[in-house]
Amino acid sequence: MNKSSTSGSVPATKYIKPNPFKMLLKNVKEHPWLYVLFLPVLAYFLVFHYWPMYGVIIAFKDYKPMKGIFASNWVGFANFAQFLNGPYLWRLVRNTLSINLGMLLVAFPLPIIFALLLNECRSVKFRKVVQTVTYMPHFVSSVVVCSLMLIFCRSNGVITTMLSVFGMPQTNLFSIGKFFQPLYIAMNVWQELGWDSIIFFAALTSIDASLYEAAQVDGAGRWRQMWHVTLPGIAPTIVILLILRIGNLMSLGWDRIYLLYNEMIYEQADVISTYVYRTGLQQMQYSYSTAVGLMNSVINVILLVGANVVSRKVNDTSLW
């Protein structure tokens, strides 16, 4: 008699990997209207984000509009080499990283702290008023916000007058390079603080109330509940957003900086995105600016993947 048959052991069940295509079809059949609602979003990304990507080919060409993309001459990596050997490389990378690191250290934790503090507020009416007031600046146009900053920071502006009490010069602050980055970060914090805190408020609502009750039974006060229950509850959200921020360390919107800076403070204010805008659209160096932008995007992808891998190994939280 076979030994395995007398032992009474149950043979191991073979794992069958699910077919993703069949799972997708099943989900479509079960929730068709959700996929109908998703179609405009899919169309937007395909038309405005993925279809134009074929244009990055001009980074490897000497693009001439009259010849078109495919008829222009190939130059290989000449445009990339021009940027890497150019005089502005260090300045652009330094300013881009400096501003983004400042945003990461200041603008990233402040919405978390704001959401935690407002969550501890007992008055629901006061909480709603504060949330509404802090959300409003997000909907103000960047042109309007930057114009206000330029007015407030003139030699007789409100901000300049207030800072002059602490010994700051009574002059246009945006004509002094060392003031540009702190002012830019402060402007972004004011405009986006309330809006960025929305996702943390949403994460706070998902925390099980029984955890707070158990902490109260154990004698934990409000501070210890926030430290041992609230923060761990929203930690996955914080980690995911931190990964996304790290993946954008080399990206910075050109529009606000372009509206605020001037040639006097290029050394402290000029970043990669504004340089691409000037060289590409104003100086019409299309291939060169595309090469700079492509290189910047590749570095961002590397940072994003690296941050995701580290996060997955350290705390099992990741984007994928």
Side-chain angles (χ1 to χ4, degrees):
M1 185 177 291
N2 194 332
K3 184 177 179 181
S4 61
S5 63
T6 59
S7 61
S9 60
V10 180
T13 304
K14 185 178 180 181
Y15 173 73
I16 302 176
K17 187 177 181 180
N19 189 324
F21 183 71
K22 290 183 178 179
M23 293 178 63
L24 176 61
L25 288 179
K26 182 181 178 181
N27 285 330
V28 171
K29 292 179 180 179
E30 292 178 352
H31 312 285
W33 289 110
L34 291 180
Y35 285 89
V36 171
L37 292 174
F38 174 69
L39 287 179
V41 179
L42 178 63
Y44 166 78
F45 280 98
L46 290 177
V47 173
F48 295 103
H49 289 267
Y50 287 97
W51 172 248
M53 287 178 66
Y54 82 94
V56 300
I57 195 175
I58 69 174
F60 305 93
K61 292 193 168 193
D62 181 18
Y63 173 67
K64 302 296 183 183
M66 297 299 295
K67 292 184 177 180
I69 293 178
F70 298 104
S72 298
N73 298 326
W74 283 95
V75 295
F77 292 94
N79 294 313
F80 298 90
Q82 180 183 349
F83 176 65
L84 293 176
N85 296 323
Y88 304 118
L89 173 64
W90 166 242
R91 183 182 78 183
L92 298 172
V93 173
R94 181 196 63 206
N95 292 338
T96 303
L97 279 176
S98 177
I99 295 176
N100 274 320
L101 286 174
M103 296 283 289
L104 185 65
L105 295 175
V106 178
F108 181 75
L110 281 180
I112 303 173
I113 297 172
F114 176 72
L116 291 173
L117 293 177
L118 204 56
N119 186 60
E120 297 297 320
C121 181
R122 300 180 185 274
S123 175
V124 178
K125 184 178 293 187
F126 176 78
R127 186 190 307 171
K128 290 182 178 180
V129 171
V130 172
Q131 285 178 312
T132 303
V133 172
T134 54
Y135 294 166
M136 289 174 64
H138 172 78
F139 300 99
V140 180
S141 170
S142 296
V143 176
V144 175
V145 173
C146 292
S147 299
L148 290 174
M149 283 295 294
L150 291 174
I151 294 173
F152 292 159
C153 293
R154 292 188 302 191
S155 57
N156 59 346
V158 176
I159 296 178
T160 306
T161 304
M162 293 173 60
L163 293 178
S164 65
V165 178
F166 302 97
M168 292 290 185
Q170 192 81 17
T171 184
N172 185 356
L173 297 181
F174 280 109
S175 65
I176 305 176
K178 64 179 181 180
F179 292 147
F180 177 83
Q181 294 187 15
L183 289 171
Y184 179 83
I185 294 172
M187 181 190 72
N188 279 271
V189 169
W190 171 77
Q191 189 174 16
E192 304 296 341
L193 174 66
W195 184 258
D196 290 342
S197 66
I198 291 178
I199 192 169
F200 299 111
F201 281 119
L204 288 170
T205 59
S206 65
I207 300 176
D208 190 353
S210 63
L211 296 176
Y212 291 103
E213 296 173 359
Q216 289 177 354
V217 172
D218 291 338
R222 307 272 299 189
W223 171 255
R224 295 187 67 86
Q225 290 178 37
M226 183 173 66
W227 189 258
H228 295 287
V229 178
T230 308
L231 275 176
I234 64 174
T237 304
I238 296 175
V239 172
I240 293 298
L241 292 178
L242 180 61
I243 293 173
L244 294 174
R245 281 293 185 99
I246 293 175
N248 285 317
L249 277 180
M250 291 297 291
S251 290
L252 199 63
W254 64 272
D255 50 350
R256 296 181 184 180
I257 293 181
Y258 186 80
L259 292 169
L260 291 174
Y261 78 165
N262 53 73
E263 294 184 3
M264 297 174 60
I265 56 174
Y266 271 0
E267 190 63 30
Q268 292 81 19
D270 198 19
V271 296
I272 294 176
S273 59
T274 54
Y275 181 71
V276 169
Y277 176 82
R278 288 201 315 275
T279 56
L281 295 182
Q282 294 183 339
Q283 301 174 15
M284 293 185 291
Q285 300 180 36
Y286 303 114
S287 296
Y288 176 68
S289 61
T290 302
V292 177
L294 178 60
M295 188 186 309
N296 189 36
S297 299
V298 171
I299 294 174
N300 279 326
V301 171
I302 295 173
L303 289 173
L304 178 63
V305 174
N308 189 74
V309 170
V310 172
S311 176
R312 186 171 63 245
K313 290 184 177 180
V314 172
N315 56 19
D316 295 328
T317 302
S318 60
L319 289 171
W320 64 85

